[in-house]
Amino acid sequence: MIYCYKKITVLLMACGCLFTACAKAQSGKPASNTIKPELKIDKNLSDTQLLDLVQKQTFRYFWDFAHPVSGLARERSNTSFNYGHEVTTTGGTGFGIMATIVAADRKWITRDTAARFLLKMVNFLGKADAYHGVFPHWLDGATGKTIPFSRKDDGADLVETSFLFQGLLTARQYFNADNPVENELRGRINWLWNDIEWDWFTRGGQEVLYWHWSPNNDWAMNFPLRGYNECLITYVLAASGTRYPVPASVYHRGWAQSNFFINGREFYGYKLPLGFDNGGPLFFSHYSFLGLDPRGLKDQYADYWEQNKNHTLVNRAYVLANPKNYKGYGSNSWGLTASDSWQGYAAHSPNEDLGVITPTAALSAFPYTPEYSMEALKHFYFDLGDKLWSQYGFVDAFSESHNWYAKSHLAIDQGPIIVMIENYRSGLLWKLFMSCPEVQAGLKKLGFESPAIGK
């Protein structure tokens, strides 16, 4: 059984999980410095002020630390694994685009500044390497050339591209003013969107989507995308494609046909409609749902609000049970998801528990468990802030059992914190993405119902 995790390839074997992790790093001078860091812990913040601070400070990763040439999001903040300074991430950039919308809407930056920043980015993408309209996992932020993710993964990455376009379509809906900059931004986003050959990734008309294609290695990676995991957005966008969409059969006979799709069992008293036992890493309930509004979103397989909320509650309940007796686990310190760890990059979950808490897990769950997420936020900031708080928000992860606190930040972990807190507070990104006519048509094609689109 093969499925995709963020930034790693996970091969599920009968005896357990073999992780082949490729995490990247790069550093560089900030592109700008419009948001002054405030690293002193303010013990007197109200809940609202704390949410404001966390969103604003975390946004600096995508603003101050954006690649100075392209504006794309760098993969991570620290240098490691012998990779250079130019590695940018397409999926993480999609998350950063959504964070930029939040920044503009909350007036941390002006609307025109945000629009011009995104236009620079989109103009760069228009000249960058793409394969049948699909971008690679990593791009050189200065030249737009592909940086291989692995030896044979040196071409199109359909999943990362879907994360990117979740952000771009949301930006197209937000920047709707009739002026030269926003008109051009929308037009160029549409041009990139219309160029994606989603149907190419059925590998000759099979009823499933494939993750990779390379001009050098063809389909050698051989990863069909089957659920349930973080790739739901890929199928929704593929069905929504304007010029090269896929039929509904690809979703029902590909994504929904695996022995780890339907679950229906209870874990710690919570029913889990879909996915692996105990739910897997929490990013399953984040990445596709930065734009997809799970409130009332249903198809023949699941109620996605129930799925995401219960997945979160199972994850937290496991941490409270703490069967491995790790130090620091508790009601105010929970959240297992893929991140850095004291052993390297790993997909933390109840079934793969290394004693590592990742702040993005609980904080990106704010829409599902606001009270529990606020408990965790206050603990991370007020109690552990001297170890976790930095110029780009919270560091990636920590383990009190191993006295380890990351010095790194990852785009794919920082972005969902901003976006999902905003969806909890205002529903902004959900409203924008679900207003896309293409997305509404794609969801209907696949048999979804939602208050945002009707039945």
Side-chain angles (χ1 to χ4, degrees):
M1 299 180 291
I2 305 175
Y3 65 110
C4 61
Y5 274 1
K6 75 176 186 188
K7 302 285 176 249
I8 56 174
T9 300
V10 181
L11 304 180
L12 288 183
M13 311 299 284
C15 60
C17 296
L18 171 66
F19 296 98
T20 56
C22 294
K24 293 298 188 272
Q26 52 284 325
S27 61
K29 295 181 179 179
S32 61
N33 190 25
T34 58
I35 299 176
K36 182 180 178 181
E38 180 56 66
L39 302 183
K40 182 180 178 181
I41 303 303
D42 185 345
K43 298 286 188 178
N44 298 313
L45 294 177
S46 67
D47 289 2
T48 297
Q49 290 171 328
L50 184 55
L51 289 173
D52 287 341
L53 174 64
V54 170
Q55 284 186 290
K56 187 174 182 179
Q57 188 98 338
T58 307
F59 174 64
R60 296 183 70 250
Y61 183 93
F62 299 99
W63 193 248
D64 291 3
F65 195 57
H67 192 283
V69 175
S70 61
L72 302 182
R74 299 176 191 266
E75 172 74 9
R76 57 165 61 234
S77 62
N78 62 324
T79 301
S80 60
F81 303 104
N82 298 316
Y83 286 90
H85 301 299
E86 308 300 336
V87 183
T88 63
T89 166
T90 50
T93 292
F95 299 170
I97 291 167
M98 300 177 92
T100 303
I101 295 168
V102 175
D105 202 64
R106 290 196 170 270
K107 297 180 172 49
W108 308 331
I109 56 177
T110 68
R111 180 185 178 103
D112 183 66
T113 299
R116 291 178 185 277
F117 173 72
L118 295 182
L119 181 57
K120 178 181 80 167
M121 183 187 298
V122 170
N123 283 333
F124 182 88
L125 289 170
K127 299 175 183 178
D129 284 350
Y131 309 89
H132 296 274
V134 172
F135 292 100
H137 196 136
W138 285 321
L139 285 169
D140 184 306
T143 68
K145 297 300 181 183
T146 300
I147 295 177
F149 187 67
S150 65
R151 184 175 180 183
K152 292 186 177 181
D153 186 358
D154 60 351
D157 187 312
L158 195 66
V159 175
E160 293 293 308
T161 296
S162 68
F163 297 152
L164 173 63
F165 276 87
Q166 183 176 213
L168 286 172
L169 291 178
T170 304
R172 186 196 70 185
Q173 298 302 104
Y174 183 79
F175 292 98
N176 59 1
D178 184 10
N179 62 53
V181 172
E182 296 193 25
N183 287 339
E184 184 179 359
L185 177 60
R186 292 194 303 275
R188 292 190 178 275
I189 290 172
N190 282 334
W191 183 80
L192 292 172
W193 165 252
N194 292 334
D195 210 34
I196 303 172
E197 298 176 36
W198 300 100
D199 57 350
W200 172 264
F201 291 84
T202 61
R203 196 171 173 176
Q206 297 181 37
E207 290 180 319
V208 69
L209 289 171
Y210 281 80
W211 190 2
H212 312 90
W213 180 81
S214 159
N216 300 313
N217 298 292
D218 200 44
W219 301 103
M221 292 292 290
N222 193 33
F223 283 113
L225 294 175
R226 303 188 189 277
Y228 184 73
N229 48 55
E230 77 275 29
C231 304
L232 175 62
I233 189 66
T234 307
Y235 276 88
V236 170
L237 291 180
S240 305
T242 303
R243 294 173 61 193
Y244 308 98
V246 299
S249 60
V250 172
Y251 176 76
H252 295 293
R253 299 179 186 175
W255 169 256
Q257 291 299 315
S258 71
N259 58 1
F260 47 86
F261 185 72
I262 298 294
N263 193 306
R265 293 182 290 279
E266 286 193 2
F267 303 90
Y268 298 96
Y270 302 104
K271 180 182 177 182
L272 199 62
L274 302 177
F276 298 94
D277 287 355
N278 293 305
L282 274 184
F283 69 84
F284 285 4
S285 61
H286 303 155
Y287 288 1
S288 287
F289 299 95
L290 301 183
L292 276 177
D293 187 347
R295 297 174 297 181
L297 184 69
K298 303 175 183 178
D299 66 2
Q300 68 187 73
Y301 308 109
D303 176 324
Y304 290 88
W305 181 261
E306 178 190 21
Q307 169 69 29
N308 293 346
K309 182 173 183 177
N310 285 359
H311 180 192
T312 307
L313 291 170
V314 168
N315 193 286
R316 180 178 181 271
Y318 168 84
V319 170
L320 292 180
N322 196 10
K324 295 186 177 181
N325 295 314
Y326 285 122
K327 181 181 177 181
Y329 279 22
S331 61
N332 61 358
S333 187
W334 58 275
L336 308 181
T337 194
S339 69
D340 284 346
S341 79
W342 54 277
Q343 287 188 331
Y345 195 83
H348 310 290
S349 73
N351 294 346
E352 186 68 21
D353 180 14
L354 301 178
V356 173
I357 298 297
T358 305
T360 191
L363 303 187
S364 300
F366 250 99
Y368 312 127
T369 55
E371 292 182 3
Y372 296 151
S373 294
M374 182 58 76
E375 280 187 287
L377 172 54
K378 289 179 176 179
H379 177 63
F380 298 156
Y381 181 77
F382 292 126
D383 302 332
L384 300 179
D386 60 329
K387 299 181 179 70
L388 302 183
W389 190 241
S390 80
Q391 61 178 332
Y392 299 137
F394 293 109
V395 299
D396 196 51
F398 65 97
S399 174
E400 292 191 50
S401 282
H402 297 89
N403 195 30
W404 173 84
Y405 300 86
K407 302 299 183 183
S408 56
H409 304 81
L410 277 67
I412 53 170
D413 290 342
Q414 300 304 94
I417 292 174
I418 306 165
V419 173
M420 291 301 268
I421 288 178
E422 189 59 37
N423 280 332
Y424 158 67
R425 301 181 80 180
S426 71
L428 175 65
L429 294 314
W430 285 341
K431 293 172 188 175
L432 291 167
F433 183 76
M434 297 296 282
S435 73
C436 294
E438 302 95 329
V439 171
Q440 292 187 7
L443 287 168
K444 289 179 180 179
K445 178 197 292 189
L446 298 182
F448 282 88
E449 60 180 77
S450 162
I453 63 173
K455 295 185 178 181

